[in-house]
Amino acid sequence: MVNTFKVVIPARYGSSRLPGKPLLKIAGKEMILHVCEKASLAGAQEVVVATDDERIVDCVKQAGFNAVMTSAKHTSGTERLAEVANTLQWKDDTVVVNCQGDEPLIPPELIKRAAIALMEQEVAQVASLCAPIFELAEVFNPNAVKVVRDAKGYALYFSRAPIPWDRDAFPVKAGSGQGEHFRHIGIYSYTAGFLRRYITWPVCALEQIESLEQLRILYQGERIIVPAVEKVPEAGVDTQADLDRINALLSV
């Protein structure tokens, strides 16, 4: 497998809570451009924004980055990535990192780590990241997705539930919170060939129950390598409060 990688940034214009979210400005610059710059700093060979709106295409291209118009019918960013891989005719062994368009504070080193994790092994065609959890409240928070891994760092299961369940401590005792649990970080790298297979698979029951798209991959018998990093990155932008928080951080 080659030692270079691409970054695709899915960016939909429509958002129920923040319409036009990718074009909202943070410290005087559109959010999507902050993400593009982070991807470039990660050492990506190519950065492509995958969108369903010409306004986003125009903004991105005027800033010197590439953008591809994709179908408005996609139900996930992964499907949008697959369309980009096909449109740009990337070879099956091309490493593609999915970097969300609403995470302007994503550290470039995490983007690169997700790509390297895939390139460093030959078992999986999908990689992601996780970080240890030290707060018990986070273990029990359904919005914090947990991952259990095998001895070599491959995912066994992802869940919103507190896994692994500490039989002797939960739920009566507070628990030690010493990092036996790992929170999944939602950045992925794939091979382009995997993306082409993925879009042929139906939604599975586990994915629907947990509302976790990655469970479709495990259900199909595919592996996901999930190395651990020190900490979870700053949260992305879902609400006006998030936008205000990040604006304050970047405007200092």
Side-chain angles (χ1 to χ4, degrees):
M1 188 175 291
V2 294
N3 290 321
T4 57
F5 65 95
K6 322 273 192 183
V7 171
V8 178
I9 306 170
R12 291 176 56 252
Y13 188 85
S15 170
S16 57
R17 288 182 284 188
L18 280 176
K21 182 164 65 170
L23 299 182
L24 296 178
K25 290 191 175 181
I26 296 175
K29 184 187 303 179
E30 289 82 355
M31 185 189 312
I32 191 65
L33 299 184
H34 284 280
V35 183
C36 288
E37 289 173 359
K38 292 292 195 300
S40 294
L41 290 172
Q45 182 187 41
E46 188 173 356
V47 177
V48 182
V49 172
T51 186
D52 57 0
D53 195 281
E54 290 285 359
R55 287 166 289 188
I56 296 175
V57 171
D58 292 342
C59 171
V60 169
K61 289 191 172 181
Q62 285 173 10
F65 295 101
N66 192 15
V68 172
M69 276 291 292
T70 54
S71 172
K73 297 180 180 179
H74 291 314
T75 59
S76 72
T78 315
E79 293 175 4
R80 214 171 288 282
L81 259 70
E83 183 178 349
V84 170
N86 288 332
T87 298
L88 299 181
Q89 300 182 323
W90 288 341
K91 295 180 179 179
D92 280 349
D93 66 351
T94 302
V95 173
V96 185
V97 179
N98 181 349
C99 188
Q100 297 303 318
D102 58 3
E103 296 194 9
L105 297 182
I106 184 76
E109 56 268 25
L110 286 193
I111 300 173
K112 186 174 183 179
R113 184 71 187 93
I116 291 173
L118 191 58
M119 294 186 278
E120 284 181 336
Q121 53 79 61
E122 298 179 353
V123 175
Q125 293 192 46
V126 185
S128 192
L129 301 173
C130 66
I133 297 174
F134 296 102
E135 299 295 331
L136 193 69
E138 191 171 356
V139 174
F140 284 90
N141 179 1
N143 294 317
V145 177
K146 274 68 67 175
V147 59
V148 172
R149 305 174 298 157
D150 68 14
K152 295 183 179 179
Y154 292 91
L156 294 172
Y157 193 67
F158 297 87
S159 182
R160 298 183 182 280
I163 58 171
W165 180 266
D166 189 330
R167 187 192 65 176
D168 296 326
F170 295 166
V172 179
K173 297 179 183 178
S176 60
Q178 293 301 311
E180 301 93 345
H181 295 80
F182 288 85
R183 179 169 180 167
H184 178 228
I185 299 171
I187 185 168
Y188 294 90
S189 60
Y190 316 87
T191 63
F194 170 86
L195 289 169
R196 294 180 175 111
R197 290 201 311 281
Y198 176 88
I199 59 174
T200 68
W201 299 335
V203 174
C204 73
L206 290 176
E207 173 185 1
Q208 291 178 313
I209 292 168
E210 294 263 18
S211 191
L212 295 175
E213 183 186 349
Q214 64 268 40
L215 290 177
R216 189 187 315 183
I217 300 170
L218 298 184
Y219 183 80
Q220 291 292 334
E222 298 270 352
R223 308 295 299 278
I224 307 175
I225 183 72
V226 191
V229 296
E230 289 186 3
K231 63 180 181 179
V232 175
E234 188 78 33
V237 177
D238 286 321
T239 65
Q240 183 63 47
D242 293 333
L243 187 68
D244 294 342
R245 169 177 54 84
I246 293 179
N247 244 316
L249 286 172
L250 294 182
S251 298
V252 174

